[in-house]
Amino acid sequence: NAGVTQTPKFRILKIGQSMTLQCTQDMNHNYMYWYRQDPGMGLKLIYYSVGAGITDKGEVPNGYNVSRSTTEDFPLRLELAAPSQTSVYFCASSLDTDGYTFGSGTRLTVV
Amino acid sequence: GDSVTQMEGPVTLSEEAFLTINCTYTATGYPSLFWYVQYPGEGLQLLLKATKADDKGSNKGFEATYRKETTSFHLEKGSVQVSDSAVYFCALLPMKTSYDKVIFGPGTSLSVIP
């Protein structure tokens, strides 16, 4: 099992550009999540999904969008990138919320 | 609302020292409790968990006991190694009446020096 795979691992964006962070899991988990982690801070939930076709906002959704067309994939879209979105982004999945499996993260810098 | 509080870091210990990282929580009923570990440059990994009062979770020499009376879930290890250097996150999953999400603490950074 590959677990949770995130791409890319690193990315530099210019202000105003857009990009999609990819996340895929092969464990048939129904729940998936996107978090951001800022230096010295904990995790903040951006969006989550309880199953294909269902998404909901977390704590810090502004400036982001998600979709969940399949059980496996949960891409995160950044529109009009801003310096405040410089962060490390983690995707995670779980089965009935009993312990999360995290991806290795995407380090994004907006300049 | 539900929350998790952890001791502030960074924590620096010598190899073979005893480790305690304090975690207390606020939640109604009996949440599930977790410790996650994040090694440098990696994502978080589940270290151990406990789902009911007085349960002890253990893994890789780490232990934590679910104490309902003190609403605590302190992480301990008898003899740390340099390879234990990481950030440790305490987390809770509220008692489920409908779908809910894990709440993470802010993390405690641990450095172990030879």
Side-chain angles (χ1 to χ4, degrees):
Chain A
N1 277 349
V4 177
T5 302
Q6 289 184 239
T7 56
K9 292 190 181 302
F10 304 94
R11 183 72 186 267
I12 298 174
L13 278 183
K14 293 184 178 179
I15 294 171
Q17 288 186 319
S18 300
M19 76 165 293
T20 298
L21 281 65
Q22 301 292 344
C23 175
T24 186
Q25 53 94 6
D26 62 358
M27 298 170 287
N28 203 32
H29 284 176
N30 44 343
Y31 300 123
M32 295 189 75
Y33 318 84
W34 275 105
Y35 287 90
R36 59 177 289 172
Q37 183 181 38
D38 299 316
M41 308 290 285
L43 297 169
K44 293 185 178 180
L45 182 64
I46 305 171
Y47 271 95
Y48 68 99
S49 169
V50 302
I54 306 169
T55 63
D56 209 345
K57 297 177 180 179
E59 184 183 356
V60 289
N62 291 344
Y64 307 94
N65 271 302
V66 294
S67 60
R68 185 96 183 270
S69 56
T70 66
T71 300
E72 295 79 17
D73 299 309
F74 191 43
L76 178 71
R77 177 82 178 164
L78 278 71
E79 305 283 0
L80 299 175
S84 61
Q85 293 178 303
T86 294
S87 189
V88 181
Y89 291 84
F90 289 102
C91 179
S93 72
S94 69
L95 189 64
D96 293 332
T97 74
D98 185 24
Y100 289 10
T101 300
F102 282 83
S104 57
T106 295
R107 188 174 296 274
L108 175 68
T109 302
V110 181
V111 296
Chain B
D2 298 342
S3 65
V4 175
T5 302
Q6 290 181 238
M7 63 186 289
E8 289 192 17
V11 174
T12 302
L13 293 174
S14 297
E15 208 165 21
E16 299 184 2
F18 185 87
L19 168 70
T20 300
I21 299 178
N22 290 339
C23 171
T24 57
Y25 68 90
T26 301
T28 55
Y30 292 84
S32 295
L33 300 174
F34 307 85
W35 277 101
Y36 284 82
V37 59
Q38 184 181 30
Y39 299 104
E42 298 183 12
L44 280 72
Q45 303 173 24
L46 180 62
L47 181 60
L48 53 84
K49 67 179 182 181
T51 57
K52 58 183 187 295
D54 300 323
D55 265 3
K56 178 185 285 189
S58 61
N59 187 22
K60 299 181 180 179
F62 291 89
E63 293 183 340
T65 301
Y66 189 144
R67 301 287 188 199
K68 177 65 174 173
E69 63 276 13
T70 55
T71 63
S72 65
F73 193 54
H74 304 321
L75 182 69
E76 297 181 335
K77 187 176 185 183
S79 175
V80 294
Q81 306 300 312
V82 172
S83 57
D84 293 326
S85 298
V87 180
Y88 293 82
F89 293 87
C90 186
L92 73 83
L93 177 66
M95 254 184 98
K96 198 157 56 169
T97 54
S98 59
Y99 173 73
D100 214 323
K101 302 166 292 298
V102 171
I103 297 167
F104 288 90
T108 301
S109 176
L110 170 66
S111 292
V112 180
I113 55 177

